[in-house]
Amino acid sequence: MEAFTEKFGIGQPVRRKEDQRLLIGGGVYTDDINIEGQVHLAFLRAPYAHARINHIDTTAAAQAPGVLAVFTGRDLEKDGVGRVESNINLKQLDGTPIFKTQRLALPTDKVRFAGEPVAMVVAETAFQAADAVELIIFDADQLPAVVTARAAGAQGAAVLHDELPDNCALHWQNDTPDAYDAVAAKAHKIVSIALTNNRVVPVPMEPKCCIAEMNPGTGRLTIYAPFQGGRRVQGAVADLLFDGERDKVRHVSDNTGGGFGTRSKIYPEIIAVCYAAKSLGRTVKWLGDRSETFVSDLHGRDQVNSAQLAFDADGKILGYRLETLVNIGAWVTENGARLAIDGGGRIVGGAYDIPVLYYSCRNMMTNTVSTDTYRGAGRPEANYIVERLMEKAAHELGIDPQELRRRNFIKTFPYTTQMGMKVDCGDFAACMDMALANSDWAGFGPRAARSQAGGKLRGIGLASFLEGAGGRPEETMRVQIQEDGSVNIICGTFSHGQGHGTVYSQIVSEKMGVPFTAIDLIQGDTDTAPAGASGTYGSRSSQMGGVAIIRACDIIIEKGKVIASHLLQADTAEVTFEAGTFSARGGSVTMAEVAKAAHDTRRLPDGLQPGLDETYHYTRDGGRDDQSFPNGCHICEVEVDPETGAVEMLAYSAADDCGTVLNPLIVHGQVHGGVAQGIGQALCEHTVYDEETGQLLTGSFMDYGMPRAHHLSHMAAEFNPIPSTNNELGVKGAGEAGCCGAPPAFVNAVLDALSSLGVKHLDMPLTPNNIWRAIHQAKAEGETH
Amino acid sequence: MYEFNYHRPKTLDEASRTTKEAEDGQVLAGGMTMIPSMKLRLASPSDLVDLADIDGLKGITIGPDTVTIGAMTRHHDVHTSPDVQKAIPALAALAGGIGDPSVRHRGTIGGSVANSDPAADYPAAVLGLDATVETNTRKIAADDFFTGLFETALESGEIITAVHFKIPDAAAYMKFPQPASGFAMVGAFVAKFGGEFRLAVTGAKDCVFRMTEMEQALAANFSADAVAEITIAEDDLLADIHCGADYRAHLVTVMAKRAVALAAG
């Protein structure tokens, strides 16, 4: 038998060290935790999408068996619980600031979406709490509801917040339309498209839940809850419940069962559970069920777009006009109203050179749960629009779609976009060439003929994309070498599926020559997280946390040289470090020996502090504008059954430039996951609210179409790594690129398949019902012409 | 879930009596619909009577003209039974397409038939194969069994013990799954018995039904072409966010046509 050997440095396909524990059920999720003396909480959720609250009668519930307390928003108000306000600071063109909501965890005036929590019961058991919730009398006058962004802007639409009669929280524009209008007036051709970017429910595997453990002795609250970075929940709970005293609040999460952006937000339920624990001086556990998670987790996407490209006679883009309506839901949340601007706006023209831009974005409030960050957070939407538009333009201009893209790709770097982002590097044509070769685009004809012989229509579609990754431009990591030579990486980031334990260990192993297996990840506890910790979101952990680790290692090596010089009786300047060994004057000591000496004050040079333990707070030089710019080209091949409208994905080729690849196995996984999520949105995921009642109609897996393994084909991912110049690891975020490429590649493929039937337009998701209707309509139109 | 009394009787009589005497007694077979409904507090039986310990409700018997499947037989066992695969391959295939592996290892034929879910697969086979549903008190012909949305001819305390399927000369089932749940948006089961045909459709109306016009056309011409132009009126078809009535009507014809093509080989 051949032994399986692995190398553990940067770039090696090291298998994930996390998997063994998770696969054998060794993970610890919030519901796995039970604390002696805990009591249970259940929420009453608004049965209406929009209603004015008259009275919430809790008398009967309070007397039910096992009940300790019933709370409503009035209790929170009385006890001075703070209100959550977004920290978005965007302004309208005329200087008017964004409209912000002040949200109390349980509302007192109105309910604004069906499923909003309005009251809570704490009881000895979860069943008693749920039973008592049914005894609460919720007396409210129903109001008309509005659930789509377009309807929210219509004359006479229901108004969510009295202070905002037009429901538009922010009408942002990059500029007046004048410059675009001027180039459009001289354009050879203007191509327009109207698109809907369907709302999706994030559906992490772990539902929303929380344990708030109150220690009456110390007055300190410990929160156990799935979260993508604990400092934020610690800060929010401290601000809202403990007058800002952060040391009164600790957040712990070992494993988090899926983040996707939706687990990076402060939810009213978390605040409410913490309030209940603080009020009662007890440990309170709340486990939301799947239905609650559907109605109350922040959703993703939900835009309607109207876009235009103006071309000259050579097919070169003169200008881009984009008008977007975003459905931000009932409350102005942490990021919802800036996603299409700061998020999607970063890369609004995709991979193309856009000399003139007019971008208008209206963020509309509706009686739905709010939308906020969801894998990609604005960038998939932006790429989808421009890729659909380029495909359409190619047909209208009579230019081959690949050729039109090549003519307009950004080719000189650094390139500053109309939104002020500096794209440092990339080779978009090379990615396209790679994807074309991998997909055997040239051999499509015979494959299509075979499909046709079987009564099916085959299509192939392509999408290039540009991503902007990095998020908040600072992160802190601590690297600690212990006396026995083992290493702890104490993180500001938080791994919840990304495999940081593996990748960070590879970085440290390569940098310091320490055995991979001797390196441990410590994360998920605000008591140990270093100051300045941020978290994991926005495809940032390698480029932020990874760089902070490198720099902490550098400091450790420098200190190690001082110790080694003492041990080797040489000058520090003479000591070299390579592959885990310090050398000078013909002698050498290993990092492990130096670590041992570092913990023994008798063996240290005078004045040197013991230990090899360094914390590095890394701030990206260029701040927000100096991110990494992952990019790529994805090609999808599909088959459509024209009789039923069923679409089958047959093949997928991804050519990604995510900079230096730290671990190809893990990056392949990231690409596959992102593509699966993108295909999910494009094929079957669809969030539907009833337009009359405002009720969520797709509130379970019976009606919400999650993509399953059989919906997907083999995915071939290859890399065209062009190292980022914005960080010393050369990495570009890999987590969200897949769902930028997949929706347009997939939809373009289906449009290609249906072109012979005269279908010219589709909106996601491409369910059989929608495809059949499009075919039906095209046939009817064909007959009338 | 609300509180309820759980019973695990050893005999059918005891199960029947307990169910009937309870304030709101419900029989539990595989629990694939019952348990999720209770968890969502949509169902709140006072008493749940589990059939798991009753002997003789499980198993497959092949006769000269019939396949008898005990009510507590799991979908997986029907799907993988070499006897069923040989006698009525369409039935084995249908069982293998229900839900997912977890459901097929827990769900039972008796539970599925008794539930009369408008989008379930088994009712199409029961009606299409002219089966007889045997209970603790009587035998009910398939044509009389399914009466409406989650409604059957079963009376209080009446428990299905077995389903007797007639072995056809040829049969096939085609379903078009609802994209989210995988249940049949439309499913068509066709069976040939000598010169007679039965064609049952599930997923399209409140409960499974026969397309007699198609059956007659097939008697004259056993080919897909015979049913390809026969359509169903949209009026009383189900319509939901996944499928309008017009599309469902279209799918009835397409699935029937494909089932016939498969059966005709």
Side-chain angles (χ1 to χ4, degrees):
Chain A
M1 201 180 88
E2 198 180 333
F4 183 87
T5 53
E6 286 181 317
K7 292 189 177 356
F8 298 104
I10 288 174
Q12 297 297 327
V14 181
R15 292 191 292 184
R16 283 160 44 102
K17 57 161 75 168
E18 295 89 344
D19 288 342
Q20 170 84 2
R21 175 185 176 222
L22 295 174
L23 289 171
I24 63 171
V28 178
Y29 297 88
T30 298
D31 194 40
D32 294 324
I33 300 167
N34 289 293
I35 293 167
E36 183 68 30
Q38 71 190 12
V39 290
H40 299 265
L41 186 146
F43 286 102
L44 173 69
R45 293 183 178 276
Y48 316 122
H50 199 189
R52 200 164 289 285
I53 301 171
N54 296 324
H55 181 57
I56 303 174
D57 184 347
T58 60
T59 322
Q63 288 161 6
V67 171
L68 280 80
V70 186
F71 298 105
T72 67
R74 295 264 172 242
D75 299 300
L76 275 62
E77 210 166 44
K78 193 174 77 230
D79 286 337
V81 174
R83 290 166 186 262
V84 175
E85 188 182 291
S86 175
N87 57 10
I88 300 173
N89 285 317
L90 292 168
K91 290 184 171 63
Q92 309 202 156
L93 208 51
D94 64 5
T96 312
I98 182 174
F99 170 79
K100 293 190 188 183
T101 50
Q102 281 78 37
R103 184 180 188 184
L104 192 64
L106 305 174
T108 54
D109 58 340
K110 291 210 298 186
V111 292
R112 291 177 175 83
F113 69 92
E116 183 166 22
V118 290
M120 56 184 173
V121 174
V122 182
E124 294 292 346
T125 73
F127 280 99
Q128 288 171 333
D131 285 345
V133 160
E134 294 186 5
L135 300 174
I136 298 173
I137 299 162
F138 180 70
D139 174 10
D141 291 331
Q142 273 200 78
L143 300 166
V146 60
V147 296
T148 66
R150 196 168 270 140
Q155 201 82 68
V159 172
L160 274 91
H161 300 274
D162 296 342
E163 317 88 291
L164 192 71
D166 65 355
N167 289 324
C168 180
L170 173 70
H171 178 203
W172 178 92
Q173 295 165 94
N174 71 317
D175 198 350
T176 63
D178 301 350
Y180 175 82
D181 290 346
V183 295
K186 321 179 290 199
H188 164 71
K189 179 110 188 152
I190 290 174
V191 181
S192 307
I193 200 163
L195 294 168
T196 300
N197 204 289
N198 47 321
R199 176 184 279 236
V200 296
V201 184
V203 202
M205 213 183 287
E206 185 179 22
K208 195 155 54 190
C209 50
C210 174
I211 301 170
E213 180 186 25
M214 193 66 206
N215 182 329
T218 60
R220 194 164 189 244
L221 183 83
T222 302
I223 304 162
Y224 303 85
F227 218 78
Q228 293 172 231
R231 285 271 186 240
R232 295 164 128 195
V233 69
Q234 178 193 33
V237 172
D239 287 346
L240 300 173
L241 296 172
F242 291 86
D243 295 325
E245 289 185 64
R246 287 183 187 221
D247 61 333
K248 288 272 192 254
V249 182
R250 175 185 176 201
H251 171 265
V252 177
S253 103
D254 188 342
N255 292 112
T256 282
F260 309 117
T262 205
R263 287 284 172 271
S264 66
K265 301 296 174 299
I266 312 301
Y267 281 98
E269 287 91 344
I270 306 291
I271 305 299
V273 174
C274 291
Y275 164 82
K278 186 186 172 211
S279 299
L280 298 169
R282 297 287 297 266
T283 296
V284 177
K285 181 171 187 172
W286 169 65
L287 176 67
D289 63 21
R290 183 57 65 188
S291 306
E292 290 184 273
T293 303
F294 262 102
V295 296
S296 71
D297 263 12
L298 294 167
H299 292 174
R301 316 286 189 250
D302 204 345
Q303 298 185 357
V304 286
N305 317 104
S306 167
Q308 276 186 357
L309 278 172
F311 289 93
D312 71 11
D314 297 326
K316 184 81 188 61
I317 296 168
L318 297 172
Y320 183 33
R321 179 189 176 106
L322 173 61
E323 285 162 281
T324 288
L325 289 178
V326 187
N327 182 349
I328 62 167
W331 296 96
V332 178
T333 55
E334 202 172 323
N335 292 302
R338 64 174 198 85
L339 285 188
I341 303 158
D342 286 350
R346 279 180 213 163
I347 44 84
V348 70
Y352 308 105
D353 175 20
I354 306 286
V356 175
L357 172 72
Y358 172 65
Y359 181 19
S360 150
C361 177
R362 285 184 171 83
N363 290 277
M364 306 303 296
M365 308 207 66
T366 67
N367 296 110
T368 63
V369 72
S370 292
T371 53
D372 206 300
T373 52
Y374 171 73
R375 202 169 191 167
R379 288 102 76 201
E381 296 93 312
N383 279 293
Y384 180 72
I385 302 160
V386 79
E387 284 305 305
R388 287 288 307 271
L389 194 44
M390 285 300 274
E391 196 70 21
K392 190 170 185 218
H395 294 293
E396 291 192 13
L397 288 164
I399 300 174
D400 176 81
Q402 291 163 29
E403 172 57 24
L404 185 68
R405 286 180 170 89
R406 286 182 202 278
R407 279 185 207 174
N408 286 287
F409 276 148
I410 297 166
K411 294 182 194 83
T412 40
F413 299 93
Y415 174 89
T416 304
T417 71
Q418 291 296 309
M419 295 285 286
M421 304 301 293
K422 204 171 82 189
V423 182
D424 63 318
C425 64
D427 187 342
F428 306 148
C431 279
M432 184 189 272
D433 289 337
M434 185 182 253
L436 289 170
N438 293 347
S439 65
D440 186 21
W441 184 286
F444 175 73
R447 298 197 292 276
R450 274 202 301 281
S451 293
Q452 200 167 9
K456 301 283 177 63
L457 299 170
R458 201 176 185 105
I460 190 164
L462 172 151
S464 294
F465 64 88
L466 178 66
E467 232 270 74
R472 195 174 157 188
E474 51 187 313
E475 187 55 270
T476 314
M477 300 292 276
R478 177 177 169 195
V479 179
Q480 184 182 52
I481 308 192
Q482 309 202 82
E483 193 173 358
D484 64 359
S486 66
V487 179
N488 289 327
I489 306 169
I490 302 159
C491 302
T493 55
F494 181 75
S495 185
H496 48 283
Q498 292 82 356
H500 295 171
T502 304
V503 176
Y504 288 166
S505 296
Q506 287 177 258
I507 295 172
V508 170
S509 178
E510 166 139 342
K511 188 79 190 164
M512 299 210 291
V514 177
F516 176 80
T517 48
I519 305 165
D520 279 325
L521 192 76
I522 295 175
Q523 64 163 22
D525 186 342
T526 52
D527 273 2
T528 55
S534 185
T536 289
Y537 47 87
S539 301
R540 66 190 298 279
S541 296
S542 286
Q543 61 177 306
M544 300 304 304
V547 170
I549 286 173
I550 288 275
R551 296 194 181 179
C553 288
D554 282 336
I555 301 171
I556 287 176
I557 291 166
E558 287 313 307
K559 185 173 178 183
K561 284 181 180 173
V562 176
I563 299 168
S565 72
H566 187 65
L567 298 174
L568 296 169
Q569 299 188 336
D571 290 338
T572 304
E574 294 175 286
V575 180
T576 58
F577 178 74
E578 206 190 329
T581 303
F582 295 91
S583 310
R585 296 193 182 176
S588 66
V589 282
T590 64
M591 179 60 93
E593 286 163 341
V594 168
K596 201 169 166 63
H599 287 81
D600 183 350
T601 48
R602 292 166 305 181
R603 299 176 65 200
L604 285 175
D606 287 344
L608 196 68
Q609 291 289 309
L612 286 175
D613 184 351
E614 297 296 338
T615 299
Y616 194 89
H617 180 76
Y618 166 55
T619 304
R620 207 162 56 222
D621 300 341
R624 280 210 170 272
D625 298 343
D626 209 7
Q627 319 199 340
S628 72
F629 295 92
N631 60 85
C633 179
H634 288 194
I635 292 175
C636 186
E637 201 162 314
V638 300
E639 212 171 51
V640 181
D641 179 341
E643 207 170 28
T644 62
V647 179
E648 190 184 352
M649 174 180 170
L650 296 178
Y652 200 91
S653 301
D656 277 57
D657 167 14
C658 45
T660 304
V661 176
L662 299 177
N663 180 328
L665 271 184
I666 283 180
V667 182
H668 272 120
Q670 289 274 24
V671 172
H672 289 178
V675 168
Q677 250 171 291
I679 296 290
Q681 183 190 11
L683 177 67
C684 49
E685 290 189 58
H686 194 28
T687 311
V688 184
Y689 282 95
D690 187 288
E691 293 194 8
E692 290 291 313
T693 65
Q695 297 292 330
L696 179 65
L697 299 179
T698 50
S700 81
F701 293 127
M702 293 296 282
D703 288 307
Y704 186 77
M706 282 298 282
R708 296 178 161 101
H710 71 81
H711 288 122
L712 302 163
S713 69
H714 175 69
M715 291 178 257
E718 289 209 307
F719 304 120
N720 177 41
I722 298 176
S724 169
T725 60
N726 289 342
N727 64 73
E728 55 253 51
L729 276 170
V731 293
K732 302 174 180 176
E736 298 166 288
C739 50
C740 290
F746 179 81
V747 177
N748 283 339
V750 176
L751 280 166
D752 180 49
L754 297 178
S755 60
S756 62
L757 300 180
V759 173
K760 291 193 170 62
H761 183 80
L762 292 170
D763 269 317
M764 301 187 289
L766 305 188
T767 59
N769 189 41
N770 289 347
I771 296 291
W772 180 77
R773 270 172 216 293
I775 294 172
H776 211 60
Q777 197 186 336
K779 268 190 193 151
E781 281 167 11
E783 278 157 17
T784 57
H785 287 153
Chain B
M1 203 175 271
Y2 295 100
E3 280 193 359
F4 59 92
N5 300 310
Y6 177 77
H7 308 269
R8 207 175 168 109
K10 297 272 184 223
T11 67
L12 263 182
D13 281 353
E14 192 189 340
S16 174
R17 201 173 50 246
T18 311
T19 311
K20 223 173 351 186
E21 286 171 1
E23 186 191 330
D24 178 17
Q26 285 283 350
V27 168
L28 180 70
M32 293 295 90
T33 301
M34 195 68 208
I35 302 293
S37 307
M38 289 172 68
K39 284 172 77 174
L40 289 166
R41 294 194 157 193
L42 295 172
S44 52
S46 63
D47 293 73
L48 207 54
V49 182
D50 191 338
L51 304 182
D53 279 358
I54 301 173
D55 287 337
L57 292 182
K58 246 184 212 176
I60 295 162
T61 318
I62 310 290
D65 306 315
T66 55
V67 170
T68 297
I69 300 178
M72 287 295 279
T73 310
R74 315 280 179 197
H75 310 327
H76 171 79
D77 297 326
V78 175
H79 171 52
T80 55
S81 158
D83 292 337
V84 179
Q85 284 169 359
K86 190 161 165 249
I88 317 178
L91 184 60
L94 174 146
I98 300 172
D100 53 31
S102 321
V103 167
R104 292 196 287 275
H105 280 84
R106 282 298 306 166
T108 66
I109 188 168
S112 171
V113 170
N115 192 39
S116 186
D117 187 306
D121 297 305
Y122 262 134
V126 171
L127 195 59
L129 290 169
D130 196 15
T132 301
V133 179
E134 186 174 354
T135 74
N136 57 328
T137 58
R138 58 179 170 150
K139 290 184 173 179
I140 308 168
D143 283 324
D144 302 326
F145 186 82
F146 301 101
T147 55
L149 187 71
F150 299 107
E151 294 286 341
T152 67
L154 292 173
E155 287 167 5
S156 171
E158 191 171 8
I159 296 168
I160 298 176
T161 55
V163 182
H164 307 276
F165 292 97
K166 285 185 189 159
I167 297 175
D169 304 326
Y173 179 61
M174 287 296 293
K175 88 162 153 180
F176 195 86
Q178 193 250 60
S181 69
F183 271 82
M185 207 142 80
V186 168
F189 195 105
V190 66
K192 175 181 186 297
F193 298 94
E196 309 247 307
F197 288 83
R198 288 174 73 94
L199 196 148
V201 174
T202 189
K205 288 190 185 179
D206 281 353
C207 81
V208 65
F209 61 95
R210 285 170 63 188
M211 286 285 288
T212 45
E213 196 185 343
M214 287 186 178
E215 292 174 354
Q216 285 154 14
L218 288 169
N221 171 17
F222 181 28
S223 80
D225 290 346
V227 298
E229 302 300 323
I230 299 175
T231 54
I232 186 169
E234 292 172 28
D235 309 353
D236 49 355
L237 294 193
L238 298 172
D240 52 46
I241 55 170
H242 304 288
C243 188
D246 52 351
Y247 178 42
R248 246 190 192 94
H250 169 76
L251 285 177
V252 167
T253 302
V254 175
M255 289 300 112
K257 190 176 78 176
R258 291 185 182 185
V260 171
L262 189 62

